[in-house]
Amino acid sequence: QVQLVESGGGLVQAGGSLRLSCAASRIIFTINDMGWYRQAPQKQRELVATITSGGSTNYADSVKDRFTISRDNAKNTVYLQMNSLKPEDTAVYYCTLTLYDMTYWGKGTLVTVSS
């Protein structure tokens, strides 16, 4: 099976930055779409950002102009650069990969933003 492992989460003060990474194994994802979701306490999981195999990106309104999704196909890795973090960004962040009709999920990494 496809395996996804997120890293880079942690505790940061409001206004700070973090970069999340997601490394895929058992697959070369050059042609696959990738994404990041998040789930905040007592809230439903929501889409944060996506990047297609061609490099086209989309973002949730709440993170536009603050977050940047990118991919390095040579390293089989997708990134989420998060700047100007707000307490509302506190959540578990999940990496996704779409292969044909299947979407695979990582286990998540926790991001906590203090005020």
Side-chain angles (χ1 to χ4, degrees), residues 63-102:
V63 307
K64 287 181 179 177
D65 302 318
R66 298 190 299 119
F67 291 10
T68 302
I69 187 172
S70 61
R71 63 193 296 161
D72 186 336
N73 290 334
K75 296 182 178 180
N76 232 30
T77 301
V78 64
Y79 304 95
L80 184 68
Q81 178 67 47
M82 305 184 294
N83 298 325
S84 301
L85 283 162
K86 305 174 180 179
E88 307 92 87
D89 296 317
T90 295
V92 176
Y93 285 71
Y94 299 89
C95 173
T96 66
L97 177 152
T98 299
L99 174 64
Y100 304 120
D101 63 337
M102 292 291 297

Side-chain angles (χ1 to χ4, degrees), residues 11-107:
L11 175 64
V12 65
Q13 287 188 276
S17 299
L18 286 174
R19 188 177 78 155
L20 305 183
S21 299
C22 173
S25 62
R26 301 193 178 189
I27 191 171
I28 299 174
F29 68 39
T30 303
I31 64 171
N32 299 306
D33 294 346
M34 305 290 295
W36 288 94
Y37 285 75
R38 68 184 182 186
Q39 187 165 25
Q42 298 181 302
K43 291 187 176 181
Q44 288 188 301
R45 188 162 55 193
E46 65 176 345
L47 179 65
V48 176
T50 60
I51 184 166
T52 68
S53 60
S56 180
T57 60
N58 284 286
Y59 299 91
D61 288 341
S62 59
V63 307
K64 287 181 179 177
D65 302 318
R66 298 190 299 119
F67 291 10
T68 302
I69 187 172
S70 61
R71 63 193 296 161
D72 186 336
N73 290 334
K75 296 182 178 180
N76 232 30
T77 301
V78 64
Y79 304 95
L80 184 68
Q81 178 67 47
M82 305 184 294
N83 298 325
S84 301
L85 283 162
K86 305 174 180 179
E88 307 92 87
D89 296 317
T90 295
V92 176
Y93 285 71
Y94 299 89
C95 173
T96 66
L97 177 152
T98 299
L99 174 64
Y100 304 120
D101 63 337
M102 292 291 297
T103 298
Y104 297 87
W105 296 77
K107 294 181 179 179

